[in-house]
């Protein structure tokens, strides 16, 4: 029994289950599969740093320190590898990083070429283009700081017109080219202001042409229109206790934005990894919807991940770099319940201070078959305990 604490009038307010709730579904993600291990064989990796998915569901992985790009089906079965060497090249190492596909199935990749010499090796930076069968088409390299020139390329993305965007890291900018490599525009400079960057590491484009840039060392995602005009800071991470570095960004057909957060690498071997690698999903208004992941070697755990992609069905692929594998996650819709309206509460309408009263209700049911509990508000900021029987006082 609960003692009433004030004189009251009117029907006692049932706090919960006073009306029928509308059923809806929320989304979560489950670990689907993973593939890869350390090595140089088919389906093995050495520090993969980029991943992309084409419209047919084929998965391309920038197998960086094996100097190659590997192609898999959506279940991780090896299909082929893309050859980065070009006839006439001197002996070289080829380090692929960013990777993307366009609507016709062409594959674009940013590649660092390092000559094999006994002195300091000359380094060149390229954008490669392959057809949907993995055949080499062409590549572009134009070092410098001018229009269409670049220095140390990283992330790469394409839009619905076949244009591609590259993260020109050392020049602290994004550059846009058409599908034939013709320069279109650029934007950005070093700094922390709107439209400025500090190590822009990844880029993505939505179906409306908006461009999202992982401004990695500024710890934020910036949003631009297709011409490079600043729209807004999409989201950012300020925590003094976490060093959150957005290393990947992707957009699904509904305009949801996915961000891959990587931890900072320890400065000494004795230090543990800092922070919590994870995936964060935002709606188009930058509201956080869900996040998952942690540091480790198990399912759904990551070690310094550096690549992120989403396919047309909403499946997520992560280049789990230091674990030398690709992980795939699939969306799961979790149905919410319809709870029917409870009976009108029974009990006195008026009361006297210092007197105990009993109220009861019932009659609610869950369309998922779950048990239903009830509680009452006493009108003075206090509540009854939850009761499965529907009786409280």
């Amino acid at each position: 029994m609960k003692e009433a604490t004030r004189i009251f009038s009117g029907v006692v307010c049932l706090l919960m289950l006073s009306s029928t709730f509308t059923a809806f579904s929320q989304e979560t993600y489950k670990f689907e599969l993973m593939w890869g291990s350390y090595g140089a064989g088919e389906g093995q990796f050495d520090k993969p740093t980029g991943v992309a998915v084409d419209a047919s569901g084929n998965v391309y992985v920038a197998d960086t320190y094996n100097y190659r790009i590997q192609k898999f089906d959506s279940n991780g079965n090896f299909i082929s590898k893309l050859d980065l060497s070009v006839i006439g090249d001197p002996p070289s190492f080829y380090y692929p990083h960013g990777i993307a596909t366009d609507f016709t199935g062409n594959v674009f990749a940013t590649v660092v070429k390092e000559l094999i010499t006994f002195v300091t090796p000359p380094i060149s930076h390229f954008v490669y283009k392959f057809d949907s069968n993995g055949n080499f088409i062409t590549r572009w390299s134009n070092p410098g700081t001018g229009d269409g020139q670049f220095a140390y390329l990283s992330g790469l993305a394409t839009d619905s017109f076949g244009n591609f965007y590259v993260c020109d890291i050392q020049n602290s900018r994004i550059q846009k080219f058409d599908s034939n490599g013709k320069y279109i525009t650029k934007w950005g400079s070093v700094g922390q202001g709107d439209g400025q960057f500090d190590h822009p590491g990844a880029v993505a484009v939505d179906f409306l042409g908006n461009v999202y840039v992982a401004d990695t060392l500024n710890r934020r995602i910036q949003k631009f229109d297709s011409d490079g005009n600043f729209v807004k800071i999409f989201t950012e991470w300020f925590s003094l206790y976490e060093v959150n570095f957005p290393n990947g960004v992707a957009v699904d057909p509904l305009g949801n934005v996915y961000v891959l957060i990587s931890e900072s690498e320890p400065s000494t071997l004795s230090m543990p990894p800092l922070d919590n690698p994870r995936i964060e999903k935002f709606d188009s208004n930058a509201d956080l919807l869900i996040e998952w992941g942690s540091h480790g070697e198990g399912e759904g755990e990551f070690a310094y991940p550096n690549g992120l992609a989403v396919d047309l069905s909403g499946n997520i692929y992560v280049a789990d770099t230091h674990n030398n594998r690709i992980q795939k996650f699939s969306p799961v819709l979790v149905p919410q319940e319809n709870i029917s309206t409870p009976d009108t509460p029974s009990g006195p309408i008026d009361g006297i201070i210092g007197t105990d009263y009993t109220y009861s209700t019932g009659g609610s049911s869950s369309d998922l078959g779950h048990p239903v509990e009830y509680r009452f508000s006493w009108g003075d900021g206090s509540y009854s305990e939850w009761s499965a029987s529907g009786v409280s006082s």
Side-chain angles (χ1 to χ4, degrees), residues 140-151:
W140 302 277
S141 180
N142 190 12
T145 60
D147 294 351
Q149 297 179 323
F150 36 77

Side-chain angles (χ1 to χ4, degrees), residues 48-66:
T49 58
V51 61
V53 188
D54 66 19
S56 300
N58 299 305
V59 181
Y60 297 84
V61 179
D63 187 8
T64 304
Y65 287 93
N66 278 326

Side-chain angles (χ1 to χ4, degrees), residues 19 33 48 63 77 100 116 189 223 294:
S19 62
L33 58 90
D63 187 8
N77 297 305
I116 302 174
S189 61
K223 180 178 179 180
S294 60

Side-chain angles (χ1 to χ4, degrees), residues 52-125:
V53 188
D54 66 19
S56 300
N58 299 305
V59 181
Y60 297 84
V61 179
D63 187 8
T64 304
Y65 287 93
N66 278 326
Y67 324 119
R68 64 188 181 184
I69 295 170
Q70 295 194 68
K71 180 181 179 179
F72 304 87
D73 67 18
S74 59
N75 293 314
N77 297 305
F78 175 82
I79 297 175
S80 63
K81 67 178 181 179
L82 282 62
D83 189 2
L84 298 175
S85 63
V86 174
I87 294 175
D89 273 356
S92 304
F93 295 122
Y94 301 87
Y95 303 96
H97 291 280
I99 190 165
T101 63
D102 68 14
F103 62 94
T104 63
N106 294 315
V107 181
F108 297 81
T110 58
V111 178
V112 175
K113 187 183 83 168
E114 179 180 280
L115 295 183
I116 302 174
T117 69
F118 294 101
V119 296
T120 302
I123 294 177
S124 302
H125 301 270

Side-chain angles (χ1 to χ4, degrees), residues 345-369:
S346 64
I349 294 177
D350 297 313
I352 300 173
I353 292 177
T355 303
D356 293 339
Y357 299 96
T358 298
Y359 297 88
S360 65
T361 189
S364 288
S365 63
S366 160
D367 65 351
L368 297 182

Side-chain angles (χ1 to χ4, degrees), residues 40-292:
E42 294 179 354
Q44 294 183 310
F45 304 111
D46 189 354
K47 303 297 187 295
T49 58
V51 61
V53 188
D54 66 19
S56 300
N58 299 305
V59 181
Y60 297 84
V61 179
D63 187 8
T64 304
Y65 287 93
N66 278 326
Y67 324 119
R68 64 188 181 184
I69 295 170
Q70 295 194 68
K71 180 181 179 179
F72 304 87
D73 67 18
S74 59
N75 293 314
N77 297 305
F78 175 82
I79 297 175
S80 63
K81 67 178 181 179
L82 282 62
D83 189 2
L84 298 175
S85 63
V86 174
I87 294 175
D89 273 356
S92 304
F93 295 122
Y94 301 87
Y95 303 96
H97 291 280
I99 190 165
T101 63
D102 68 14
F103 62 94
T104 63
N106 294 315
V107 181
F108 297 81
T110 58
V111 178
V112 175
K113 187 183 83 168
E114 179 180 280
L115 295 183
I116 302 174
T117 69
F118 294 101
V119 296
T120 302
I123 294 177
S124 302
H125 301 270
F126 293 88
V127 176
Y128 276 64
K129 181 179 181 180
F130 301 87
D131 67 19
S132 58
N133 294 315
N135 298 308
F136 173 79
I137 297 176
T138 188
R139 67 182 183 183
W140 302 277
S141 180
N142 190 12
T145 60
D147 294 351
Q149 297 179 323
F150 36 77
Y152 205 97
L153 299 177
S154 180
L156 180 76
T158 60
D159 65 19
S160 57
F161 297 100
N163 303 310
F164 65 89
Y165 304 73
V166 292
C167 295
D168 187 5
I169 292 179
Q170 289 186 350
N171 288 323
S172 297
R173 64 188 182 185
I174 302 298
Q175 294 204 66
K176 178 180 179 179
F177 301 84
D178 70 15
S179 61
N180 296 312
K182 180 181 178 181
Y183 169 81
I184 297 176
T185 190
K186 68 179 188 296
W187 67 90
S189 61
V190 64
Q192 298 179 336
D194 295 346
Q196 294 183 310
F197 304 111
D198 188 353
H199 199 287
V203 60
V205 186
D206 67 21
F207 279 74
L208 298 176
N210 298 304
V211 182
Y212 301 81
V213 180
D215 187 9
T216 304
L217 296 187
N218 280 330
R219 299 195 289 179
R220 63 188 183 182
I221 303 295
Q222 296 196 63
K223 180 178 179 180
F224 303 86
D225 67 18
S226 59
D227 295 319
N229 298 305
F230 175 81
V231 176
K232 67 177 181 177
I233 302 297
F234 187 79
T235 189
E236 53 193 332
W237 296 266
F238 285 120
S239 174
L240 298 176
Y241 305 101
E242 294 182 316
V243 185
N244 302 291
F245 294 129
N247 275 354
V249 62
V251 187
D252 69 19
L254 299 178
N256 298 305
V257 179
Y258 303 78
V259 180
L260 179 64
I261 303 294
S262 190
E263 70 263 65
S264 57
E265 297 199 30
S267 59
T268 68
L269 294 177
S270 62
M271 289 179 60
L274 302 176
D275 310 314
N276 183 28
R278 62 193 182 275
I279 300 168
E280 295 190 355
K281 178 182 178 179
F282 300 85
D283 65 18
S284 58
N285 295 316
D287 293 323
L288 179 63
L289 301 177
I290 190 173
E291 61 179 328
W292 71 95

